[in-house]
Amino acid sequence: MSRNYKEDQTNEVEALDSIYCGEMEVLATEPFHKFQIPIATEEYNAEENDNGLACKLIFTYTETYPDGAPLVEIEEPENFEDTFEERLLEHLRQTIEENLGMEMVFSLVSSAQEWLNERWDEHKNQQEEQRVKKLKEVEEEERKKFEGTRVTVETFMKWKIDFEESTGIAAKREKNNSSKKLTGRELFMCDNTLNDSDIKFLLEAGENIEKVKIDEALFQDIGELDLDDDDDDDEDWVPGADDDDD
């Protein structure tokens, strides 16, 4: 016995209307039934439609449905990315192939609903990843502000030289070093007049300069001697006392 497609289609429409009561809208009955069923993700709000995904699925029976595939269209997509509409239609075409020979509109609607939920979950995950990434970037910037440049021996020495030159410390240190009090030995080694006077005395005494040897050990402790006149610093010194002793 041949299948009564018209009767099967009418029965399915009645069943769908009871399932999607108040949501399903019949658009035509001749020559074949045509109706629409809205689907949306849980977060979708029609008044604030920037959250969640939504669209309307429009089905049109064909002469041999359900042995033949129904026509499916997507209307009024909300928050769809550029590729979502074509990808959803391809997903529905695969579901139709799997359900040929059976009334399948309920399965198609359920499959499309699940597909929207999956896309929205992916969208939320991407947003969360971006939020976490942005937070890490901000934290990294804040950390760099407090951490500054890592100091090595080379960078510290360069900074030290630049700092001392810019503040005049280097010039002041050089000046202090040049005016530092010399030891007796340093005076002897540096003062040419001392050399000349000693040589002069030796020549007057008839000594051969080449035979003269200087014992440097004699000058090792001379730097410790206080060559200044410290009489004024002696607490026991009495003016004229030395003269009385004479």
Side-chain angles (χ1 to χ4, degrees):
M1 189 173 82
S2 62
R3 185 168 187 174
N4 188 337
Y5 295 111
K6 194 71 170 180
E7 182 179 353
D8 291 343
Q9 294 171 11
T10 300
N11 292 337
E12 184 179 31
V13 169
E14 292 176 355
L16 292 171
D17 185 50
S18 64
I19 295 173
Y20 302 105
C21 181
E23 296 181 354
M24 176 179 167
E25 181 180 355
V26 177
L27 303 176
T29 57
E30 296 294 340
F32 305 103
H33 281 86
K34 182 178 181 179
F35 52 90
Q36 67 180 22
I37 299 174
I39 59 174
T41 57
E42 183 177 354
E43 296 89 344
Y44 178 76
N45 187 327
E47 296 179 357
E48 300 177 2
N49 60 2
D50 60 342
N51 190 33
L53 302 174
C55 69
K56 292 181 179 180
L57 299 177
I58 299 179
F59 299 94
T60 303
Y61 288 149
T62 57
E63 185 176 0
T64 59
Y65 174 84
D67 289 338
L71 301 178
V72 183
E73 302 170 82
I74 296 175
E75 294 288 346
E76 301 179 22
E78 295 286 349
N79 302 323
F80 272 35
E81 295 183 9
D82 294 340
T83 62
F84 276 11
E85 189 169 343
E86 181 56 37
R87 289 169 60 188
L88 178 54
L89 288 173
E90 178 60 30
H91 175 75
L92 290 173
R93 282 192 286 267
Q94 294 177 4
T95 307
I96 288 171
E97 290 294 327
E98 297 169 358
N99 290 274
L100 284 176
M102 300 179 292
E103 290 81 354
M104 66 181 77
V105 173
F106 178 79
S107 297
L108 294 176
V109 173
S110 299
S111 181
Q113 178 72 61
E114 183 179 357
W115 190 91
L116 286 189
N117 290 336
E118 290 174 354
R119 301 294 78 76
W120 185 246
D121 287 342
E122 291 175 357
H123 173 74
K124 291 190 295 184
N125 290 338
Q126 290 174 357
Q127 283 191 322
E128 178 63 18
E129 290 175 359
Q130 292 176 356
R131 187 191 69 80
V132 172
K133 181 180 179 181
K134 183 64 177 177
L135 180 61
K136 288 182 178 180
E137 290 176 352
V138 173
E139 291 176 347
E140 180 67 14
E141 289 298 323
E142 292 297 322
R143 184 185 65 80
K144 287 181 179 180
K145 291 180 182 179
F146 289 100
E147 182 181 72
T149 305
R150 293 186 180 276
V151 178
T152 63
V153 174
E154 291 77 10
T155 57
F156 173 76
M157 293 305 298
K158 183 179 183 304
W159 172 86
K160 182 175 182 293
I161 293 172
D162 294 341
F163 176 77
E164 290 183 350
E165 289 181 352
S166 63
T167 57
I169 294 177
K172 184 176 180 181
R173 179 184 293 113
E174 184 177 351
K175 181 179 179 181
N176 291 340
N177 289 338
S178 63
S179 61
K180 183 179 66 174
K181 184 178 180 181
L182 298 178
T183 64
R185 177 174 177 165
E186 290 172 335
L187 288 171
F188 180 80
M189 298 299 294
C190 298
D191 192 343
N192 293 331
T193 59
L194 295 178
N195 296 339
D196 292 342
S197 61
D198 290 342
I199 291 173
K200 181 178 179 181
F201 291 145
L202 292 173
L203 288 174
E204 291 176 352
E207 293 289 343
N208 187 344
I209 299 303
E210 296 179 353
K211 295 181 180 181
V212 175
K213 295 183 179 180
I214 298 174
D215 187 358
E216 295 184 1
L218 298 175
F219 302 94
Q220 289 180 354
D221 298 327
I222 196 170
E224 300 177 0
L225 298 176
D226 191 351
L227 301 180
D228 297 336
D229 186 0
D230 293 335
D231 287 347
D232 294 341
D233 296 333
D234 189 351
E235 296 180 355
D236 298 329
W237 180 75
V238 178
D242 292 339
D243 297 339
D244 295 342
D245 292 341
D246 292 340

